[in-house]
Amino acid sequence: MSIENRGEITCANCSACCKAGIEGVFTPKEAAFLRRGGTDLAPLRDLDVMHAIALYEFRSDCGHIGKDPLTGNSICTQHENPDRPHACKTFVPGSLSCRLQREMQGVAPSGFDKDAFLRGEE
Ligand code: SF4
Ligand code: SF4
């Protein structure tokens, strides 16, 4: 499947990109937002002194992952919160990064053929 073919990818009952082990770039305010939810966030290195952004590793699943009360699906409970980090708002469902996260977290079906990707056919 080409990277443009994103039709079947949905964030409903996924949260694969919000799990322990992922890395992300956040401002101090965004890092505080994630920590308020209970996320164990470890700074890896500073990236921009002027804007004080840094690369962090999630040492736990994001604390803002919750259950949709209607469906029981795993969702971001802060999806409509304007304080949600920029990296969260701009992570593209169906992108290669998304499908890699889904593959690593065992969220199926993703339509991502890891073997084809490793052969350079994706
Ligand atoms: S991995 Fe992709 S489909 Fe899953 S929550 Fe993240 S953006 Fe949505
Ligand atoms: S705030 Fe929401 S979208 Fe961002 S990492 Fe946490 S659960 Fe995922």
Side-chain angles (χ1 to χ4, degrees):
M1 187 177 83
S2 77
I3 190 170
E4 283 76 26
N5 187 356
R6 299 170 176 167
E8 80 283 12
I9 301 287
T10 170
C11 296
N13 205 21
C14 179
S15 300
C17 56
C18 316
K19 297 289 181 67
I22 66 162
E23 296 178 1
V25 174
F26 304 113
T27 66
K29 185 180 173 192
E30 291 172 333
F33 172 86
L34 293 168
R35 286 180 170 134
R36 274 199 303 280
T39 314
D40 183 356
L41 208 57
L44 295 180
R45 65 176 183 272
D46 293 336
L47 296 176
D48 183 332
V49 175
M50 290 296 288
H51 296 92
I53 60 173
L55 179 67
Y56 292 87
E57 179 186 7
F58 282 55
R59 294 277 167 84
S60 70
D61 294 352
C62 182
H64 291 304
I65 297 174
K67 293 281 182 198
D68 184 317
L70 295 178
T71 63
N73 286 347
S74 176
I75 57 165
C76 173
T77 59
Q78 303 298 311
H79 195 266
E80 305 305 324
N81 189 330
D83 291 338
R84 199 166 65 117
H86 180 76
C88 302
K89 293 174 184 169
T90 57
F91 198 86
V92 180
S95 65
L96 179 59
S97 297
C98 159
R99 288 187 287 138
L100 282 168
Q101 292 297 333
R102 289 171 66 98
E103 175 74 16
M104 288 193 300
Q105 299 293 339
V107 178
S110 72
F112 177 68
D113 185 337
K114 181 175 63 180
D115 294 330
F117 174 75
L118 292 175
R119 289 195 304 270
E121 297 171 5
E122 270 283 312

